[in-house]
Amino acid sequence: MPLVNLFGSKGRLVLSALLFCAVLFELADCQKDAQEQRTTPGRKPKLSKPKLGKSTNKGPRAVTAKPKIKAPSAQTFLTQVFNKGKFKTVGETLSVQTGHTLELRCRGKPVQWSVPKYLEEDHDGRLRTVQHERYGVLTLVNTTGADTGEYSCYPMYCEDTDCRKDYDKAVKVFVFFPGASCHIFSLYRSDPQELFVPSSDYYEVIQLRTNWPTLLPCQVTSPEAKVTLHREFPPAEVAVDGTEISFNVKRGFTIHRPRPYHAGALYCVASLGNLRQSSTKYMLIYVNYPMAPPAPVIQASSGSLTVGGDLRVSCSVVGEQDVLVEFNWEYPGQQIGRPLNTQDSITPVGGGAARQQSQSVLQVDEVRDVDQGTYTCTAHNLLGATSVSTTVKVVPKAKPKKP
């Protein structure tokens, strides 16, 4: 017989009350356990932290974003990479045999490369640069003597997306590309070995400027080549004393203080082993260059003239001997078509240094009212032009007094 039927309706009420009390006790025990877990000794309650960018007392606080600045690495250096994974730190110069691959590694992120102008204009896909995580790599394949020149690596200084070269930390190497030795050369190549960097010009015109160093860029492909300077007519070797004329294997010959006797046709001769070759011919033209633009002085024969009188306005420049100075005039009479009438002259000036005075005199005969105004002289030389002005007043003739 079921238990509910045994006790009747009263029994059902008692049973329900007991079940309800059991549930209450169970809930109380669960709440007590949770409280003990929150207050267990050795455990610190977690404290809430204020969020970044906010103040607990003053409310929200604006946070200004700063631009990301990335400075180049402290030290930048170049290394040459070989086929078998070997590395070698390069110095001021480097020699790579023609036909071999040049591979340079430059530490820095990012870096930018500079190569000889010939390669910048046309390299037929032989030149490649790649930027890696910590360094950049320059690779040049199928090399020739024409690739000889300076190769530079510039670490970049960046602010956000704006980057610029750090010239102070640049590293440079001059790379020569000599040909193979004579017997190897004849076996593997059909074209002759080039001792000079090839040029498409048979001759090159170079101006010799007074007191301006002049470079004859006869660049050799091998640092071991012996180079001399020669004059075509009369045939002779030009003395190179290191003072008046000097030679640099990475640049060529420099005439430090050009003089008229340096003018003419010159060329270089390179010798290496049994090879002897001539360079492009250089046609040197001597030009007397001034040290500065002209400083003219203008002076009128009179600041005030009577109608019918004669006016003379002189403009003179004192400068180096044999330096050409040209004069241009602006004057009031141009408005009515009065022709320009000038007399130019050059006279030596006494003193220790060789100097001369160049002068132009503007002549106006029988001046009229229209000749009154500003007279401007502009003197030109190879370094610039300078203008000076003066004002002339023309007054009418006095009327004769009546007897």
Side-chain angles (χ1 to χ4, degrees), residues 186-207:
S186 60
L187 290 174
Y188 293 97
R189 298 185 60 133
S190 59
D191 55 334
Q193 181 182 4
E194 294 285 351
L195 294 182
F196 288 103
V197 175
S199 173
S200 58
D201 299 325
Y202 178 72
Y203 68 90
E204 181 179 344
V205 178
I206 298 178
Q207 280 191 355

Side-chain angles (χ1 to χ4, degrees), residues 108-362:
K109 180 185 180 183
V111 299
Q112 187 167 336
W113 295 90
S114 174
V115 298
K117 188 176 181 181
Y118 161 77
L119 285 173
E120 290 179 353
E121 297 174 351
D122 183 18
H123 54 77
D124 297 329
R126 299 184 299 115
L127 176 67
R128 186 168 63 100
T129 59
V130 178
Q131 180 65 53
H132 294 279
E133 180 66 25
R134 297 179 181 273
Y135 58 89
V137 176
L138 179 146
T139 306
L140 180 64
V141 300
N142 300 326
T143 56
T144 67
D147 301 326
T148 298
E150 188 174 73
Y151 293 74
S152 306
C153 170
Y154 298 91
M156 304 296 288
Y157 183 85
C158 298
E159 295 183 6
D160 290 334
T161 58
D162 182 23
C163 295
R164 61 182 182 271
K165 295 179 181 178
D166 190 343
Y167 290 92
D168 294 335
K169 295 183 180 180
V171 286
K172 303 178 181 181
V173 59
F174 195 96
V175 184
F176 295 94
F177 291 93
S181 60
C182 296
H183 65 283
I184 296 177
F185 191 84
S186 60
L187 290 174
Y188 293 97
R189 298 185 60 133
S190 59
D191 55 334
Q193 181 182 4
E194 294 285 351
L195 294 182
F196 288 103
V197 175
S199 173
S200 58
D201 299 325
Y202 178 72
Y203 68 90
E204 181 179 344
V205 178
I206 298 178
Q207 280 191 355
L208 295 172
R209 303 183 180 186
T210 309
N211 298 321
W212 287 44
T214 301
L215 176 67
L216 278 62
C218 44
Q219 175 60 61
V220 291
T221 61
S222 172
E224 299 177 359
K226 180 182 178 182
V227 188
T228 54
L229 183 63
H230 297 258
R231 183 176 297 277
E232 187 174 36
F233 183 82
E237 182 177 341
V238 179
V240 178
D241 59 1
T243 302
E244 183 177 349
I245 303 177
S246 64
F247 176 73
N248 185 315
V249 71
K250 297 188 290 184
R251 302 187 66 207
F253 289 97
T254 300
I255 304 175
H256 295 277
R257 295 177 62 86
R259 293 294 181 263
Y261 58 82
H262 290 130
L266 277 71
Y267 61 95
C268 305
V269 174
S271 302
L272 181 61
N274 296 327
L275 288 177
R276 179 181 171 89
Q277 296 178 2
S278 299
S279 70
T280 296
K281 292 183 180 179
Y282 302 101
M283 309 300 293
L284 305 184
I285 301 175
Y286 183 79
V287 180
N288 285 289
Y289 260 72
M291 300 296 292
V297 176
I298 192 170
Q299 184 176 6
S301 57
S302 177
S304 179
L305 287 90
T306 304
V307 173
D310 296 334
L311 173 65
R312 301 289 184 268
V313 184
S314 66
C315 184
S316 58
V317 173
V318 176
E320 297 89 353
Q321 191 174 13
D322 299 329
V323 172
L324 179 64
V325 178
E326 295 182 350
F327 298 94
N328 296 108
W329 287 93
E330 295 178 12
Y331 54 98
Q334 286 177 307
Q335 300 176 4
I336 62 170
R338 180 187 284 276
L340 178 65
N341 182 14
T342 60
Q343 287 186 348
D344 296 343
S345 62
I346 298 176
T347 56
V349 176
R355 299 176 69 80
Q356 67 184 21
Q357 176 179 272
S358 303
Q359 187 178 62
S360 178
V361 179
L362 175 64

